Amino acid sequence: MQVPKYAQPGQAFKELNVTLELKVIADVGLVGFPNVGKSTLLSRVTNAKPKIANYHFTTLNPNLGVVDLDGADGFVIADIPGLIEGASQGIGLGHEFLKHIERTKVIIHMVDAASTEGRDPIEDINTINAELSAYNEEIAKRPQVIAANKMDVLYGEEEEEAINKIREAFEPNGIKVFPISAVSGKGVKELLYYVRELLDTIDDTPVMFEPEFIPGEHSFANDPYTVEQEEEHVFVVEGPRIERMLGYTNLDSEKGFEFFQRFLKESGILEELETKGIQEGDTVRMYGLHFDYYK
Ligand SMILES: Nc1nc2c(ncn2[C@@H]2O[C@H](COP(=O)(O)OP(=O)(O)OP(=O)(O)O)[C@@H](O)[C@H]2O)c(=O)[nH]1
Ligand SMILES: [Mg+2]
């Protein structure tokens, strides 16, 4: 209708304050201590342009990127801000960061295998796994792979020694270790194709999350109302059903008024008024509304 003649006024309804929590959804979560090179890898393998810098907590919000693979399906990778010990108790914005791992399927643990900041990569992985389990047991059970980063800093025997240590610690548990350099790109391809393999092993039936809030369904058609004689020549009609009907009826418009009259008839209100002995010229009161009764 180009020129509507009938409008319904607004009506009182349930009011609700909601807090919406954003959780990033990605196939793969890239986790690790601060400064290990997570954002560098993301920028190397996707078109994402995360901030990269040589200090901790450069990344404060997850960055997403799409990895394209030749001859295989690509996937979405989320670069999660650096985690530290105590993250599951909220330390270092831990909760803020951990929640973004919840909806990923495979986890890449990234470590600084060259220990450029003096930390032990094996301890780092164990620490992060402990934090993941403490936050949500289920996350820690997801398939994992280790990206031993910053291999370009090491040479010859050093390189082998570093990687063998990590392998000895984790490969017996079925967690593969890939030596890489996010800066040069060395080893990255092998890592990505292996991640693709892991994703392919996962049953991809969608996970259904239980709704935490279900707005009540309520039909107003059967809400009660009452018809009473208040005093001589005055009748009162009230109840939730009446209140609601008046709420969506615009009595100033012709159509609205027609609707109102039809409602009185079809709902049986007119009949009840007559049963209660209403006479022509008596007053009917409905909330703020008074009108004279004529047949
Ligand atoms: N030598 C070397 N340095 C690297 C490599 N990858 C990253 N870096 C350097 O490590 C520093 C940290 O890199 P980021 O990618 O910002 O690290 P991040 O893990 O995202 O750090 P947060 O966001 O703080 O958690 C930067 O100075 C990078 O240039 C690598 O493969 N080799
Ligand atoms: Mg980063």
Side-chain angles (χ1 to χ4, degrees), residues 34-40 53 57-59 82 149-150 152-153 182-183:
N35 229 27
V36 296
K38 299 178 295 297
S39 302
T40 307
F57 298 114
T58 306
T59 305
N149 194 30
K150 306 203 183 180
D152 54 288
V153 177
V183 164

Side-chain angles (χ1 to χ4, degrees), residues 10-41:
Q11 54 185 296
F13 211 76
K14 258 188 208 164
E15 202 173 279
L16 193 69
N17 288 319
V18 293
T19 306
L20 301 176
E21 190 169 42
L22 178 72
K23 288 179 185 172
V24 156
I25 299 174
D27 299 304
V28 179
L30 185 54
V31 301
F33 267 70
N35 229 27
V36 296
K38 299 178 295 297
S39 302
T40 307
L41 178 68

Side-chain angles (χ1 to χ4, degrees), residues 68-143:
D68 290 317
L69 294 177
D70 273 342
D73 289 341
F75 52 83
V76 177
I77 195 166
D79 160 28
I80 314 281
L83 298 170
I84 53 174
E85 191 165 1
S88 58
Q89 281 117 56
I91 295 177
L93 290 179
H95 285 158
E96 270 301 296
F97 301 164
L98 282 164
K99 71 181 182 191
H100 295 293
I101 308 168
E102 267 180 79
R103 300 202 174 170
T104 58
K105 301 172 196 158
V106 164
I107 290 167
I108 302 180
H109 272 283
M110 183 173 271
V111 285
D112 173 358
S115 299
T116 58
E117 295 187 328
R119 275 202 322 270
D120 175 1
I122 296 173
E123 257 176 46
D124 282 2
I125 296 167
N126 286 331
T127 304
I128 288 191
N129 268 335
E131 295 301 333
L132 294 182
S133 312
Y135 179 74
N136 177 348
E137 294 255 351
E138 200 265 319
I139 296 178
K141 287 184 202 139
R142 291 183 197 160

